[in-house]
Amino acid sequence: PSTARPGELAFALAGAAAVLLVVGVGASRHELWRDEMDAWLAARVAPSPLALLHAIRYGGHPVSWYLLLWPLTRWPGAPWAMQALSVALAGASAFVVLRLAPGPRWLRLLCVLGYFPLYEYGVLARNYALSVLGLAALAWATTRRRERPLTLGAVAAAAAFTTPHGLFLVVAVLAVLGGELAL
């Protein structure tokens, strides 16, 4: 596994720092779009998390992103906080992939330095970076499914509540793992 190789922690930290720098600069120059502000405004006008759940019931996206935004609308209360959260999630996702994914360093680095991880999942303040983080953690948890089945279940549930795509991928992973048990 990648965690047993020497220098992997330093490599993952340096790569995540590079992602944070690039995504942070991009986010600082990005004007929020309507779909990004829609999530922020839904969280801002809700007086409580339960009211937020009621307000987004027809939105089509799971609740994790909205529940993370809700306290940010109270403090500091400015939309840049949503962008900072998105940047932090992109950095965390990069760290998890660089630290825990198998394969050579150059391949792991290419995975986190592509257009989608940097721009679509990092600069744009949407729930996709949260989904990438959850799915990367799920990939790690599947390697320890026999020793820690409850961890696998908790990570799968958390990843399923990030995006509709995350839910579909979690169902597919759990179907494969269920098929493995059936054999």
Side-chain angles (χ1 to χ4, degrees):
S2 65
T3 57
R5 293 181 285 197
E8 287 302 306
L9 179 60
F11 168 72
L13 287 172
V19 167
L20 284 171
L21 178 68
V22 170
V23 172
V25 169
S28 71
R29 288 162 170 63
H30 171 68
E31 187 172 331
L32 292 172
W33 296 345
R34 183 187 60 179
D35 62 331
E36 296 170 283
M37 282 305 294
D38 181 58
W40 177 261
L41 294 173
R44 189 179 78 177
V45 300
S48 70
L50 287 177
L52 176 61
L53 295 179
H54 182 72
I56 65 166
R57 67 189 181 278
Y58 300 120
H61 285 279
V63 301
S64 297
W65 179 246
Y66 295 97
L67 291 176
L68 286 174
L69 291 181
W70 189 82
L72 294 178
T73 63
R74 280 29 185 188
W75 185 88
W80 63 261
M82 176 175 60
Q83 290 178 298
L85 174 64
S86 182
V87 170
L89 289 171
S93 300
F95 177 78
V96 169
V97 169
L98 292 171
R99 178 78 170 123
L100 300 175
R105 287 182 176 179
W106 66 268
L107 184 60
R108 290 181 281 152
L109 202 55
L110 284 178
C111 286
V112 299
L113 293 179
Y115 166 77
F116 280 100
L118 290 178
Y119 184 72
E120 294 287 337
Y121 306 155
V123 171
L124 301 183
R126 297 183 183 143
N127 55 348
Y128 302 132
L130 186 61
S131 182
V132 171
L133 179 60
L135 292 171
L138 179 64
W140 169 81
T142 57
T143 63
R144 286 149 179 82
R145 62 188 173 274
R146 299 201 193 288
E147 304 92 45
R148 299 181 176 158
L150 294 178
T151 301
L152 174 64
V155 170
F161 282 107
T162 57
T163 62
H165 304 96
L167 173 64
F168 297 143
L169 290 171
V170 167
V171 168
V173 167
L174 293 179
V176 168
L177 292 177
E180 178 185 271
L181 289 175
L183 294 179

